[in-house]
């Protein structure tokens, strides 16, 4: 009864194990997510400032191009001729006006080019509202750098930037100059660029100068802009910067860049929550996936317990009763799975044994017990559970290719390991088993590489069954899995006149010389002394020793570059065939 209660706790053990496996994942993810969040947030902040800097550079580039317009028209030969020739000439004025208009439309921004001769009170401009004006103020100063002003030439006030050059260049006012060349552009050009930037980046940019009126986009939030101006821009220094400010219980990231041409600040602000929202969303999805995975693990554990553990427990109980001599006991259980056939065959077997108890009872019982033990020793339940869990998880993620690959390799692996009627196979058969086994681990681990380079001549050599797979299994468990970053297993072969050798090497953690010496000593000791050595490895060594004699068996050595090399050697039969199985690690 106590044993039965112990078996009933397996479901709880599986659930606890699943939870314990998920806890390190959660802790590691939380730590990595915090670091990743800081890095991503920093990059997003830099990206926001970079985008704003790019917009400012675009504006400065256009403004710098406009700054050259007065210089260009001042060197135009028609304009130079117009300045040098006195007297009225409507044809010459029309030609100059045409030149001004053509130069004006060559810019991406709308602008006005104006040519003024203060002494002759002549004003020629690409702006029809200014062209031909007679009362141009000659006492006004010349704007040798960009100046903000209001343009009323079209009948309504509009913000504009003006820049002028004069002849001579040292003239301070119009009255002191012979000619003045002026370029101006409306602030609407800049507002349009702010609108385009806002539409693309979902932000709220504006231009600010402490001495003038703010240049907004078409839908600027004035309360937020006033708070940013009051708390940040009025105290800003340098060409660019970033600060975080709280406005109406919400945190905003404010970025600003200073114009090289105008000296104005281009500022923009976005909610901090918008920056980190993708990270928060990814984190929430991960935690939801973990919760779903935990729930599915519990369900899968329960299904495995009900559909696998209970029938196995019934079978083990039946075998125990048969071992105790009660051949009349039968298993009465319907699992509605493949176990029904196994239970039915078990009951038939028990019935036949009972019927033939007086006829070779002892010999047949021992033979069947040996067969069952061999099958049970070859089927690693944890290996099977992990593979089934992989299939379940891949199916839940709709990874059809992974499910097919795992199922094909798993079926081929168990088809070979459970076949007991033929104990003599070829090296090719053993290598196919190892390849399926390594494929299963590669699908599960994703960090295992392997290479099998065995000659065709060696592949035809006969060997006992299950000689190579236990060594590869030990190499994975004790050599590759403890190693950070995964590893690689390489299988090669050698032949000489007396021996065959197949060498399996891994680049795992390796063993010390003392451990290697102790390992070779335990291979020759009795089973009761070497339980910790691993029955699979010692079984391979003893089978080779008993069947082939001589120096046949296993030999271990450390690889030069790290890892362990196990050479399986056996004498050549039928004209000197030799066989070497692998490099592995003691399990």
């Amino acid at each position: 009864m106590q044993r039965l209660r112990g078996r009933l706790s397996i479901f709880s053990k599986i659930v606890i194990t699943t939870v314990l496996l998920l806890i390190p994942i959660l802790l590691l993810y939380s730590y990595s997510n915090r670091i990743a969040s800081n890095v991503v947030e920093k990059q997003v902040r830099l990206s926001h400032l970079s985008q704003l800097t790019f917009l400012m550079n675009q504006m400065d580039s256009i403004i710098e191009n406009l700054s050259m317009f007065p210089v260009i028209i001042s060197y135009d030969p028609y304009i130079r001729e117009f300045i040098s020739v006195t007297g009225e000439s409507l044809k010459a004025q029309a030609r100059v006006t045409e030149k001004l208009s053509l130069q004006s439309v060559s810019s991406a921004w709308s602008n006005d080019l104006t040519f003024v001769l203060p002494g002759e009170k002549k004003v020629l401009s690409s702006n029809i509202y200014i062209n031909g004006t007679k009362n141009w103020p000659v006492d006004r100063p010349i704007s040798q750098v960009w100046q903000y002003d209001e343009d009323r030439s079209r009948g309504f006030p509009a913000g504009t930037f003006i820049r002028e050059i004069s002849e001579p260049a040292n003239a301070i006012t119009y009255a002191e100059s012979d000619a003045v060349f002026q370029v101006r552009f409306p602030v609407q050009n800049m507002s349009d660029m702010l609108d385009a930037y806002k539409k693309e980046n979902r932000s709220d940019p504006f231009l600010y100068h402490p001495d003038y009126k703010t240049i907004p986009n078409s839908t600027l939030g004035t309360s937020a802009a006033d708070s940013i101006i009051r708390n940040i821009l009025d105290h800003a220094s340098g060409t660019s910067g970033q600060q975080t400010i709280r406005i109406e219980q919400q945190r905003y990231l404010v970025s600003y860049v200073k114009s090289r041409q105008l000296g104005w600040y281009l500022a923009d602000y976005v909610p901090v929550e918008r920056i980190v929202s993708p990270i928060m969303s990814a984190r929430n999805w991960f935690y939801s996936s973990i919760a779903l995975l935990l729930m599915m693990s519990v369900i899968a554990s329960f299904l495995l317990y009900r559909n696998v553990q209970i029938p196995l427990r019934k079978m083990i109980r039946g075998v125990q009763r048969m071992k105790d001599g009660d051949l009349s006991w039968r298993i009465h259980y319907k699992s509605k799975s493949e176990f029904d056939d196994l239970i039915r065959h078990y009951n038939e077997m028990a019935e036949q044994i009972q019927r033939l108890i007086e006829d070779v009872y002892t010999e047949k019982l021992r033979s069947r017990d040996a067969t069952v033990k061999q099958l049970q020793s070859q089927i690693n339940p944890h290996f099977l559970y992990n593979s089934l869990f992989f299939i379940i998880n891949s199916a839940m993620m709709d990874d059809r290719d992974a499910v097919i690959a795992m199922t094909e390799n798993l079926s081929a692996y168990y088809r070979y390991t459970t076949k007991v009627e033929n104990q003599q196979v070829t090296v090719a058969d053993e290598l196919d088993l190892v390849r399926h086994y390594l494929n299963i681990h590669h699908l599960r681990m994703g960090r295992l590489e392997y290479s099998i380079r065995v000659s065709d001549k060696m592949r035809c050599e006969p060997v006992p069954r299950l000689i190579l797979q236990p060594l590869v299994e030990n190499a994975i468990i004790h050599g590759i899995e403890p190693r950070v970053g995964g590893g690689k297993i390489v299988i090669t072969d050698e032949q000489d006149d007396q021996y065959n050798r197949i060498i399996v090497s891994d680049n795992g953690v390796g063993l010390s010389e003392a451990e290697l010496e102790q390992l070779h000593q335990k291979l020759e000791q009795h089973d009761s002394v070497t339980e910790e050595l691993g029955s699979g490895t010692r079984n391979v060594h003893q089978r080779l020793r008993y069947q082939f004699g001589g120096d046949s068996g296993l030999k271990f050595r450390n690889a030069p570059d790290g890892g362990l090399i196990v050479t399986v050697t056996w004498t050549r039969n039928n004209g000197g065939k030799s066989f070497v199985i692998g490099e592995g690690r003691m399990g």
Side-chain angles (χ1 to χ4, degrees), residues 3 26 28 132 142 180 187 209 258 364 433 451 550:
R3 181 184 300 172
L26 287 173
L28 180 61
I142 296 174
V180 178
V187 298
H209 192 283
K258 190 174 184 179
K364 286 187 176 293
L433 173 65
S451 174

Side-chain angles (χ1 to χ4, degrees), residues 47-115:
S47 175
H48 185 256
L49 182 60
S50 298
Q51 291 175 348
L52 198 66
T53 303
F54 180 74
L55 175 62
M56 189 73 263
N57 289 336
Q58 282 184 308
M59 289 186 178
D60 280 343
S61 177
I62 297 175
I63 295 172
E64 184 178 8
N65 184 51
L66 289 172
S67 299
M68 297 302 298
F69 280 15
V71 178
I72 294 173
I73 62 174
S74 69
Y75 284 99
D76 186 90
Y78 291 112
I79 294 178
R80 301 308 305 173
E81 180 183 354
F82 186 84
I83 295 175
S84 61
V85 177
T86 58
E88 295 289 340
S89 173
L90 296 178
K91 183 177 180 181
Q93 292 184 16
R95 187 166 53 186
V96 170
T97 303
E98 181 183 6
K99 283 288 183 179
L100 295 175
S101 300
L102 291 174
Q103 184 64 42
S104 175
V105 298
S106 66
S107 174
W109 282 2
S110 62
N111 63 89
D112 295 333
L113 282 176
T114 303
F115 167 45

Side-chain angles (χ1 to χ4, degrees), residues 382-397:
H382 295 291
F383 173 73
L384 177 59
Y385 294 165
N386 291 335
S387 301
L388 293 176
F389 271 122
F390 178 89
I391 293 174
I392 292 173
N393 291 334
S394 299
M396 289 191 296
M397 293 186 292

Side-chain angles (χ1 to χ4, degrees), residues 158-436:
T160 185
F161 283 93
I162 301 174
R163 186 174 181 180
E164 300 167 327
I165 64 171
S166 63
E167 290 186 3
N170 59 353
I172 304 300
T173 64
Y174 274 73
E176 300 175 3
S177 63
D178 297 331
V180 178
F181 303 92
Q182 180 193 88
V183 60
R184 70 171 64 196
F185 65 87
V187 298
Q188 186 61 42
N189 292 313
M190 308 175 82
S191 296
D192 292 341
M193 289 193 72
L194 295 178
D195 287 339
Y197 179 85
K198 177 175 182 177
K199 182 179 180 181
E200 182 178 352
N201 296 277
R202 297 185 300 168
S203 56
D204 206 14
F206 61 92
L207 285 160
Y208 168 75
H209 192 283
D211 299 332
Y212 303 107
K213 183 179 178 181
T214 299
I215 300 177
N217 62 73
S218 59
T219 57
L220 177 67
T222 55
S223 61
D226 292 341
S227 180
I228 292 171
I229 292 171
R230 183 173 58 255
N231 293 282
I232 297 179
L233 296 182
D234 282 342
H235 313 286
S237 61
T239 58
S240 64
Q242 274 187 328
Q243 291 188 36
T244 302
I245 186 175
R246 185 174 293 276
I247 304 175
E248 298 178 354
Q249 307 303 319
Q250 188 172 8
R251 295 171 63 240
Y252 288 89
L253 173 65
V254 179
S255 304
Y256 58 90
V257 181
K258 190 174 184 179
S259 171
R260 303 188 315 273
Q261 297 292 324
L262 304 180
W264 286 54
Y265 280 102
L266 172 62
D268 191 17
Y269 62 98
V270 292
V272 175
E273 287 74 11
R274 183 189 300 173
I275 297 176
V276 299
S277 60
I279 304 173
M280 300 294 292
S281 177
R283 186 190 66 182
N284 294 336
W285 273 106
F286 176 81
Y287 287 143
S288 300
S289 300
I290 287 293
L292 179 61
L293 179 61
L294 179 61
M295 181 179 66
M296 297 301 296
S297 299
V298 172
I299 295 174
S301 301
F302 174 74
L303 293 175
L304 283 174
Y305 174 77
R306 188 183 69 179
N307 296 319
V308 177
Q309 185 62 34
I310 292 179
L312 281 177
R313 187 179 63 187
K314 295 287 187 181
M315 291 292 299
I316 293 174
R317 184 177 179 183
V319 172
Q320 186 65 38
R321 294 290 292 268
M322 182 181 293
K323 179 181 177 182
D324 295 338
D326 185 6
L327 299 178
S328 63
W329 193 83
R330 301 290 183 268
I331 300 176
H332 302 286
Y333 180 77
K334 294 293 184 181
S335 65
K336 298 181 180 180
S337 66
E338 290 80 359
F339 281 101
D340 287 340
D341 293 335
L342 188 58
I343 291 173
R344 177 171 57 81
H345 291 314
Y346 168 83
N347 291 335
E348 293 175 355
M349 180 185 68
E351 183 179 355
Q352 292 176 8
I353 292 175
Q354 184 179 17
R355 186 170 58 248
L356 302 174
I357 189 62
E358 295 180 357
D359 186 12
V360 297
Y361 168 80
T362 303
E363 187 63 25
K364 286 187 176 293
L365 182 60
R366 290 177 180 175
S367 175
R368 294 181 186 276
D369 282 343
T371 300
V372 173
K373 289 179 181 179
Q374 182 183 6
L375 290 176
Q376 290 177 341
S377 67
Q378 293 171 355
I379 300 177
N380 185 336
H382 295 291
F383 173 73
L384 177 59
Y385 294 165
N386 291 335
S387 301
L388 293 176
F389 271 122
F390 178 89
I391 293 174
I392 292 173
N393 291 334
S394 299
M396 289 191 296
M397 293 186 292
D398 293 334
D399 193 348
R400 181 174 178 269
D401 294 338
V403 172
I404 293 174
M406 176 60 79
T407 305
E408 289 177 346
N409 285 282
L410 194 63
S411 62
Y413 172 80
Y414 279 105
R415 185 183 301 114
Y416 184 90
T417 57
T418 55
K419 187 183 297 183
V420 297
E421 65 272 15
N422 185 10
Q423 294 299 317
Q424 191 77 3
V425 296
T426 63
V427 173
D429 296 329
E430 287 292 287
L431 291 177
D432 285 339
L433 173 65
V434 169
R435 179 173 55 80
H436 291 302

Side-chain angles (χ1 to χ4, degrees), residues 347-567:
N347 291 335
E348 293 175 355
M349 180 185 68
E351 183 179 355
Q352 292 176 8
I353 292 175
Q354 184 179 17
R355 186 170 58 248
L356 302 174
I357 189 62
E358 295 180 357
D359 186 12
V360 297
Y361 168 80
T362 303
E363 187 63 25
K364 286 187 176 293
L365 182 60
R366 290 177 180 175
S367 175
R368 294 181 186 276
D369 282 343
T371 300
V372 173
K373 289 179 181 179
Q374 182 183 6
L375 290 176
Q376 290 177 341
S377 67
Q378 293 171 355
I379 300 177
N380 185 336
H382 295 291
F383 173 73
L384 177 59
Y385 294 165
N386 291 335
S387 301
L388 293 176
F389 271 122
F390 178 89
I391 293 174
I392 292 173
N393 291 334
S394 299
M396 289 191 296
M397 293 186 292
D398 293 334
D399 193 348
R400 181 174 178 269
D401 294 338
V403 172
I404 293 174
M406 176 60 79
T407 305
E408 289 177 346
N409 285 282
L410 194 63
S411 62
Y413 172 80
Y414 279 105
R415 185 183 301 114
Y416 184 90
T417 57
T418 55
K419 187 183 297 183
V420 297
E421 65 272 15
N422 185 10
Q423 294 299 317
Q424 191 77 3
V425 296
T426 63
V427 173
D429 296 329
E430 287 292 287
L431 291 177
D432 285 339
L433 173 65
V434 169
R435 179 173 55 80
H436 291 302
Y437 183 77
L438 289 171
N439 285 338
I440 292 171
H441 275 283
H442 177 73
L443 288 170
R444 286 182 48 235
M445 296 172 61
R447 57 190 183 94
L448 173 66
E449 298 180 4
Y450 69 90
S451 174
I452 300 177
R453 300 190 296 270
V454 178
S455 64
D456 294 339
K457 183 178 180 181
M458 176 65 77
R459 290 175 180 268
C460 298
E461 292 289 338
V463 291
R465 289 171 58 85
L466 298 178
I467 293 295
L468 188 57
Q469 184 273 337
L471 303 177
V472 175
E473 178 179 357
N474 287 333
I476 293 174
I477 295 175
H478 300 283
I480 302 302
E481 289 185 350
R483 182 177 184 271
V484 177
K488 183 174 183 179
I489 293 177
V490 178
I491 302 175
T492 57
D493 69 300
E494 295 177 356
Q495 279 184 313
D496 56 33
D497 294 337
Q498 187 175 1
Y499 292 102
N500 287 319
R501 297 181 182 87
I502 291 183
I503 303 166
V504 180
S505 61
D506 66 78
N507 61 348
V509 296
L511 295 175
S512 65
E513 293 299 325
E515 290 173 332
L516 280 176
E517 180 63 27
Q518 186 179 17
L519 196 60
H520 285 108
Q521 292 177 2
K522 289 181 179 180
L523 280 176
E524 307 298 334
Q525 294 176 359
H526 192 269
D527 290 70
S528 61
V529 182
T530 60
E531 290 179 355
E532 73 279 8
L533 180 62
S535 59
T537 304
R538 187 174 185 279
N539 178 269
V540 171
H541 179 75
Q542 294 297 335
R543 289 167 65 194
L544 291 171
R545 179 64 57 83
Y546 295 152
Q547 182 167 342
F548 296 97
D551 292 332
S552 300
L554 303 181
K555 291 184 180 180
F556 300 84
R557 72 178 189 275
N558 281 319
D561 298 330
L564 195 66
I565 298 176
V566 180
T567 302

